[in-house]
């Protein structure tokens, strides 16, 4: 099994070189393998069936690069906006959705059966702002989440989840707008399998928001809890980052506290169980076979440890921003 790592490169203030891969052994240890130079591939998404990975090259002139399983660049297209930060493939694998953070927009691209991008089919732009003057001065699309034909778009700048129906022709038809508590600054949305609850990462507020999906694509806030078990009292904000669900546990990373907090989600309201140290600035992480692989951005390392806490192992890599286990 491979672990692919995206990063920031020198053009965007980072120390990385492009995509790096590690070979993962049965006991979870990593061995450096290959590399592909490219501009700031800050997010990586694998096609569900074709042997390709998509990289969001985060820059003012946003680009999406398609990469083969052999780590060769197959082609690149404009992302349709500035600073693309997230990619998702539609449920039928016919379309790729790209979140352009600085432009506050979502692009849609048609995919061939072999995973190659063939054309842009739509682009929607959000308008609005939130109460935080520095982080919410405008719309900032951060993530698109797909369920069947419903695309739910998380907007950090407007404190909203905007849902669309993805049509057969690749167009987005507006479906619902769901408001979150002012100042939440939503970064990610993750549905809990088998029910109507979902969880929203409140990056700006430093919170975890539980929402209920009353109708497909329509969300109502249920409760809000702090992002960490121990209250954060530092001079800098807690910029909450990434969330993963594994059974009855939820894991949430916090930057500045530099921990991954483990939550028990057996009840409707999540209960923080422990804060696990995770390396400096845990921007993203992936959980595989009970091990968390954390992109510790400011440590220039992948930090690996058992999800319940335990001994850490560090693997050097420049300014990591995304971990993809394949």
């Amino acid at each position: 099994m491979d672990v692919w790592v995206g990063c920031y490169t020198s053009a965007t203030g980072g120390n990385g070189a492009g995509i790096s891969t590690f070979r993962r052994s049965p006991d979870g240890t990593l061995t450096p393998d290959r590399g592909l130079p490219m501009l700031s591939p800050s997010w990586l998404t694998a096609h569900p069936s074709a042997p390709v990975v998509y990289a969001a090259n985060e820059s003012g002139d946003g680009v999406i690069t398609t990469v083969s399983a052999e780590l060769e660049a197959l082609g690149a297209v404009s992302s349709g906006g500035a600073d693309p930060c997230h990619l998702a493939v539609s449920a039928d694998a016919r379309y790729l959705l790209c979140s352009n953070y600085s432009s506050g927009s979502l692009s849609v691209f048609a995919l061939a059966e072999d995973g190659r991008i063939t054309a842009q089919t739509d682009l929607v732009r959000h308008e609005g702002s939130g109460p935080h003057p520095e982080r919410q001065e405008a719309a900032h699309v951060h993530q698109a989440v797909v369920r069947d034909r419903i695309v739910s778009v998380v907007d950090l700048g407007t404190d909203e989840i905007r849902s669309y129906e993805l049509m057969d022709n690749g167009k987005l038809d507006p479906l619902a707008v769901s408001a979150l508590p002012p100042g939440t600054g939503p970064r990610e949305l993750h549905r809990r399998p088998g029910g109507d609850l979902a969880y929203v990462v409140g990056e700006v507020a430093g919170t975890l928001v539980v929402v209920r999906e009353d109708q497909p694509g329509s969300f109502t806030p249920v409760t809000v809890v702090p992002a960490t078990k121990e209250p954060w009292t530092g001079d800098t904000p807690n910029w909450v980052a990434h969330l993963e669900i594994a059974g009855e546990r939820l894991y949430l990373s916090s930057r500045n506290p530099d921990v991954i907090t483990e939550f028990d989600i057996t009840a409707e309201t999540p209960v923080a169980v422990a804060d696990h140290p995770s390396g400096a600035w845990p921007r993203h992480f992936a959980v595989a076979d009970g091990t968390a692989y954390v992109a510790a951005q400011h440590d220039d390392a992948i930090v690996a440890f058992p999800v319940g806490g335990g001994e850490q192992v560090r693997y050097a890599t420049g300014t990591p921003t995304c971990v993809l286990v394949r």
Side-chain angles (χ1 to χ4, degrees):
M1 185 177 291
D2 286 335
V3 174
W4 290 41
V5 178
C7 71
Y8 282 137
T9 58
S10 59
T12 51
N15 302 315
I19 298 176
S20 300
T21 67
F22 294 80
R23 183 67 63 181
R24 181 173 177 267
S25 66
D27 66 1
T29 59
L30 303 181
T31 302
D33 190 11
R34 299 168 294 171
L36 176 63
M38 67 170 62
L39 171 66
S40 293
S42 68
W43 185 269
L44 305 173
T45 292
H47 190 283
S49 55
V52 299
V53 168
Y54 305 103
N57 303 112
E58 188 175 337
S59 66
D61 297 321
V63 172
I64 304 169
T65 302
T66 305
V67 181
S68 73
E70 292 74 31
L71 208 64
E72 296 178 353
L74 301 177
V77 300
S78 169
S79 71
D83 298 313
C85 61
H86 186 269
L87 298 164
V89 180
S90 64
D92 59 9
R94 294 177 56 202
Y95 296 101
L96 179 70
L97 305 156
C98 178
S99 300
N100 296 301
Y101 180 84
S102 295
S103 297
S105 64
L106 181 72
S107 305
V108 186
F109 298 88
L111 299 177
E113 288 188 5
D114 64 0
R116 293 177 187 262
I117 298 172
T118 59
Q120 182 174 328
T121 61
D122 206 357
L123 174 70
V124 294
R125 297 185 184 277
H126 293 183
E127 301 290 341
S129 60
H132 194 288
E134 295 180 0
R135 299 300 310 279
Q136 298 183 302
E137 80 293 348
H140 292 303
V141 170
H142 213 298
Q143 184 198 49
V145 181
V146 182
R147 172 179 277 182
D148 299 325
R149 303 186 66 85
I150 306 303
V151 177
S152 297
V153 182
V154 179
D155 196 314
L156 183 146
T158 65
D159 289 324
E160 293 172 327
I161 303 169
R162 289 183 172 265
S163 292
Y164 302 85
E165 183 177 0
L166 181 59
M167 311 303 287
D168 284 338
N169 61 359
K171 300 294 184 182
L172 293 169
D173 189 23
L175 183 65
V177 179
S178 303
L180 294 168
T184 294
R187 179 182 176 94
E188 294 184 353
L189 167 72
H190 293 258
R191 292 180 173 93
R192 180 170 181 174
D196 60 357
L197 292 181
Y199 305 94
V200 176
V201 175
E203 176 179 347
V204 175
T207 56
L208 174 63
V209 184
V210 182
V211 296
R212 176 168 282 111
E213 192 168 7
D214 305 301
Q215 299 291 332
S218 179
F219 301 88
T220 300
V222 175
T223 190
V224 180
V225 299
T228 57
K229 185 177 188 294
E230 296 299 324
W232 173 241
T233 58
D235 295 332
T236 52
N238 175 8
W239 300 127
V240 191
H242 182 62
L243 183 157
E244 293 279 342
I245 298 172
E248 299 296 332
R249 285 291 193 264
L250 180 153
Y251 301 92
L252 180 64
S253 68
S254 289
R255 296 167 293 179
N256 282 325
D258 291 343
V259 296
I260 290 180
T261 301
E262 178 182 353
F263 289 86
D264 183 331
I265 54 171
T266 54
E268 185 172 87
T269 299
V271 177
V273 174
D275 295 326
H276 303 295
S278 58
W281 206 256
R283 182 184 180 92
H284 184 261
F285 63 94
V287 176
D289 300 325
T291 298
Y293 297 95
V294 184
Q297 182 178 334
H298 290 178
D299 272 348
D300 289 331
I302 299 298
V303 177
F305 58 88
V307 291
E311 184 178 354
Q312 295 184 356
V313 181
R314 291 176 174 245
Y315 304 93
T317 186
T319 318
T321 58
C322 182
V323 181
L324 174 65
V325 179
R326 304 186 65 242

